[in-house]
Amino acid sequence: MRKKICSVVVSTAFLVAAAGAQAEPVLQGKDAYGDWRTDKPGTVRLIRPQDLVKPGATPSAALSAPVVPRPAEAALQVPAGFKVELFADGLRGPRIVRVAPNGDVFVAETRTGDIRVLRAGEGGKAATNEVFAAGLKRPFGIAFFPSGDNPQWVYVANTDSVVRFPYQAGDLKARGKPETIVASLPADGGHSTRDIVFTPDDKRMLISVGSVSNVAEGMGNPPGGLDAWSRTQPLGAAWASETERAAVLAFTPDGKERKIYATGIRNCVGLAIQPQTGLPWCSTNERDGLGDDLVPDYVTSVKEGAFYGWPWFYIGGHEDPRHAGARPDLKDKVTIPDVLVQPHSASLGMTFYQGTQFPAAYHGDAFAAEHGSWNRSKRTGYKVIRIRMKDGKPTGEYEDFVTGFVVSDAEVWGRPVGVAVAKDGSLLVSEDANGTIWRVTHP
């Protein structure tokens, strides 16, 4: 294990190592890249499009992440002044976490097909643990509708559909069988997660759908030819098995008026609405196979009608060599993401901080969970990062916030997936390797 850093804060669960209080310099260019051994809370990174290496600068590596039971001496690290303690354990692969207006914590156990409800008791740890709904098909996204303190429905995004349950504040069990709102989402293999958010005016429902493939291998030509296709489809839309994939879809809350909202986003795993602007944001897994330091994952605002490059380009006009010359018409139409994250980090769930418990500097910032790499020779990710904002706009910088899930070069005990702000302003972090949720507080 890594040595603990700086002072130790006593927790009822694990002892927590806190990062140093002094501001760290911003690591840029090649210095912004690292691996789990150099991660520590407070480390700030800035990766820019001009910093990218050429494809194939290093071989494409395969380094799996064997999961071991959580070691007794395991300690999560957080910035100075924060502490982290166990909120819940014994869960079955908890993934996305969403907090109901009354404070109940809804958790998607994707592999088992369950939505679970946790309720905090004395000391902040989960004291109530109930299965809200079972028998779903790889559920992931959860949303409450309409907005406000008294939602009437809980929406769940399955891998192939969207369903909803009638809801009243405090329900621990679903009131009857689910009502199907969207009967068919693309679901034939590939990325299975579907997140869901509603726009602030409650008029639109957005659903993220990842690609089938890494980089649309063998997609071929669209029906009727590229020119005809491009005239009738959204900018950068894919076809064949990738139809309506690598995209964010839009519907009315009743599942009608189906449209493609944005394209070229390989795997938008986590969706969130930025409170200051009302814009949807997306935490994205980019493509593999181009070496250790390509292609950056990213966290970005998602503009309606925008094209983010996949599969032909990445991070602006950088052409993927596996599609060289295929779509020159799109090169100057690629929207560059707001915040680039170290390649292969596997950025998953995200949220914006609107609580009052953390220092004022955190208000309006975003957090994202990095599930961890497999396509990199030196392990990276396996942490929670803070996305820095200034006056509601991203600076491009991100900061290590929770680290310590890796045991060694060969083993990990935790893989972060979901992040959510609890009613009391603490930050909840799920990891699906050992089935735990952690609570970060600022006493």
Side-chain angles (χ1 to χ4, degrees), residues 404-429:
F405 292 99
V406 182
V407 176
S408 67
D409 284 333
E411 297 174 326
V412 304
W413 71 261
R415 305 195 71 185
V417 179
V419 283
V421 180
K423 193 173 179 65
D424 67 358
S426 58
L427 184 73
L428 301 176
V429 179

Side-chain angles (χ1 to χ4, degrees), residues 158-403:
N158 291 316
T159 193
D160 62 351
S161 65
V162 177
V163 299
R164 69 180 183 183
F165 299 89
Y167 175 73
Q168 291 184 13
D171 283 354
L172 296 174
K173 298 286 185 182
R175 296 169 177 263
K177 295 182 178 180
E179 175 188 357
T180 299
I181 297 300
V182 178
S184 61
L185 292 174
D188 296 327
H191 298 113
S192 68
T193 56
R194 310 285 179 261
D195 206 357
I196 178 172
V197 294
F198 290 94
T199 55
D201 60 8
D202 286 335
K203 292 182 178 179
R204 304 180 86 180
M205 176 176 69
L206 304 181
I207 308 292
S208 60
V209 182
S211 66
V212 174
S213 62
N214 176 38
V215 65
E217 301 89 341
M219 189 169 67
N221 293 316
L226 181 59
D227 289 343
W229 175 266
S230 299
R231 287 194 296 269
T232 61
Q233 297 297 318
L235 178 66
W239 51 86
S241 63
E242 299 290 357
T243 299
E244 288 192 328
R245 300 197 67 150
V248 174
L249 307 182
F251 304 81
T252 54
D254 59 3
K256 298 178 181 177
E257 297 183 18
R258 183 177 189 137
K259 297 179 180 178
I260 294 179
Y261 184 90
T263 61
I265 307 175
R266 178 176 175 267
N267 189 20
C268 172
V269 181
L271 278 172
I273 298 293
Q274 184 182 25
Q276 293 98 324
T277 64
L279 283 174
W281 276 64
C282 179
S283 174
T284 300
N285 290 185
E286 252 292 354
R287 68 203 78 187
D288 300 312
L290 294 181
D292 276 1
D293 295 330
L294 282 181
V295 169
D297 290 339
Y298 57 82
V299 179
T300 190
S301 58
V302 182
K303 300 173 179 64
E304 186 166 9
F307 167 61
Y308 289 82
W310 186 92
W312 301 281
F313 297 90
Y314 58 88
I315 318 301
H318 294 87
E319 188 174 47
D320 192 305
R322 294 163 292 195
H323 290 288
R327 295 297 306 268
D329 57 307
L330 295 176
K331 181 174 182 178
D332 296 327
K333 299 175 182 178
V334 181
T335 298
I336 298 175
D338 292 305
V339 182
L340 306 187
V341 178
Q342 185 163 344
H344 312 300
S345 293
S347 199
L348 300 191
M350 69 169 296
T351 192
F352 286 91
Y353 190 81
Q354 293 294 298
T356 57
Q357 186 183 122
F358 287 11
Y362 286 79
H363 191 80
D365 285 356
F367 290 96
E370 309 305 299
H371 199 232
S373 62
W374 70 267
N375 188 218
R376 199 168 193 275
S377 61
K378 294 183 179 180
R379 204 178 303 286
T380 193
Y382 305 94
K383 59 186 175 183
V384 175
I385 61 173
R386 170 193 177 191
I387 308 295
R388 290 183 167 189
M389 300 284 178
K390 184 177 181 180
D391 300 325
K393 296 181 179 180
T395 65
E397 301 166 351
Y398 70 94
E399 177 183 341
D400 296 352
F401 187 73
V402 183
T403 64

Side-chain angles (χ1 to χ4, degrees), residues 58-80:
T58 60
S60 179
L63 180 65
S64 61
V67 174
V68 298
R70 193 175 77 224
E73 72 278 11
L76 295 179
Q77 289 90 44
V78 290

Side-chain angles (χ1 to χ4, degrees), residues 19-40:
Q22 287 190 334
E24 300 267 354
V26 178
L27 301 179
Q28 301 185 37
K30 66 179 182 180
D31 294 333
Y33 293 75
D35 58 59
W36 72 273
R37 291 183 176 276
T38 60
D39 289 346
K40 69 173 182 177

